[in-house]
Amino acid sequence: QPKAFIFDLDGVITDTAEFHFLAWKQLAEEVGVIFDRKFNEQLKGVGRMDSLERILQLNPERAVMPLAEKERLAAQKNANYLELIAKTTPADILPGIEELLRTAQESGVKIALGSASKNAAFVLEKLELTHYFDYIVDAATVKNGKPHPETFTTAADALGVAYSDCVGIEDADAGVTAIKSAGMFAVGVGDAQHLPHADYRVDSTDELEFTDIIRRYEEHQA
Ligand code: G6P
Ligand code: MG
């Protein structure tokens, strides 16, 4: 069986993907950019400054601005986001996730968090899930964001597990690509249209079953 599971956070463990969307949408209105869910798909898994750059590109008049102004906008988005997640509790853990964490831990599988979010440790605390995690990747120290594999290889290196013994779980295409580029087995959560590269895909987290993931992983290795 695999030796480690590396989880994405936003959109896999809890539905903060929606709050990131809403926080950017508030900001987009301020900078005169039209921003919809379809465009938002390509921001999933993408870091704060890179996301801002992509949004600004939508309005050629605002695409060029001083770095200090960009930093102010990014800080504003984060303030919007923190306000939206203020009421997060363990009730916001997505269906099936805590059972998967518990089963993996009981089966001796190591668990890491591979999120691009600088708020990841804070959100895990609010969900009261920190104790399941052997390692949390610090997004501030990762030089190359998803789809680069660094987030996932950093987690595996910290756990001391070979990449081929790792399973990554993601809701974003950029994240699935990162997992695959790391040489790991990629589980995608979401619709097929957005996750064409996953090794194993489910529609939603309540379909994430430990034994199914192990079986699919082993079939893939064979
Ligand atoms: C995750 C989310 C992205 C978000 C990024 C940075 O990857 O999927 O939507 O932009 O984290 O999050 P942060 O909390 O650091 O702004
Ligand atoms: Mg995600």
Side-chain angles (χ1 to χ4, degrees):
Q1 74 176 44
K3 296 196 173 78
F5 278 12
I6 306 170
F7 285 82
D8 175 46
L9 174 70
D10 300 301
V12 170
I13 289 178
T14 184
D15 200 13
T16 37
E18 180 65 14
F19 294 144
H20 281 292
F21 168 66
L22 295 172
W24 280 126
K25 201 169 157 58
Q26 286 174 29
L27 190 91
E29 274 155 24
E30 220 181 280
V31 291
V33 161
I34 297 165
F35 181 72
D36 57 17
R37 276 176 199 280
K38 188 168 176 289
F39 179 79
N40 185 59
E41 277 306 313
Q42 50 168 290
L43 299 183
K44 289 186 177 174
V46 175
R48 200 181 300 168
M49 279 312 242
D50 282 349
S51 298
L52 176 65
E53 293 289 354
R54 292 190 196 195
I55 290 167
L56 293 176
Q57 294 301 325
L58 293 172
N59 181 353
E61 281 167 34
R62 299 300 301 272
V64 181
M65 62 169 71
L67 181 61
E69 177 67 358
K70 286 181 183 169
E71 279 166 353
R72 188 190 69 78
L73 291 172
Q76 179 60 50
K77 183 268 174 177
N78 196 48
N80 297 344
Y81 177 69
L82 288 175
E83 204 170 301
L84 289 165
I85 63 166
K87 292 197 185 76
T88 297
T89 71
D92 296 303
I93 300 168
L94 284 169
I97 290 294
E98 187 153 16
E99 195 189 334
L100 178 61
L101 289 167
R102 194 183 312 115
T103 315
Q105 190 176 61
E106 285 168 3
S107 309
V109 171
K110 288 188 175 160
I111 301 173
L113 191 74
S115 170
S117 173
K118 292 177 178 159
N119 296 299
F122 175 64
V123 173
L124 270 196
E125 280 294 324
K126 293 191 80 95
L127 298 171
E128 297 177 17
L129 290 177
T130 310
H131 62 99
Y132 286 109
F133 288 82
D134 298 296
Y135 188 75
I136 297 171
V137 173
D138 180 357
T141 66
V142 172
K143 287 189 204 73
N144 306 290
K146 303 170 189 177
H148 191 283
E150 187 180 340
T151 303
F152 291 93
T153 55
T154 300
D157 292 346
L159 296 174
V161 173
Y163 304 153
S164 57
D165 289 331
C166 294
V167 171
I169 305 162
E170 264 286 351
D171 70 318
D173 186 52
V176 167
T177 302
I179 295 167
K180 301 284 299 166
S181 310
M184 301 176 182
F185 183 78
V187 177
V189 184
D191 55 83
Q193 194 196 332
H194 294 128
L195 297 167
H197 306 110
D199 293 311
Y200 171 45
R201 191 193 56 78
V202 295
D203 287 321
S204 62
T205 58
D206 53 3
E207 292 167 44
L208 287 172
E209 292 269 357
F210 182 74
T211 49
D212 291 341
I213 295 171
I214 301 302
R215 184 167 46 81
R216 293 298 196 119
Y217 169 85
E218 278 164 2
E219 283 169 8
H220 187 263
Q221 304 304 103

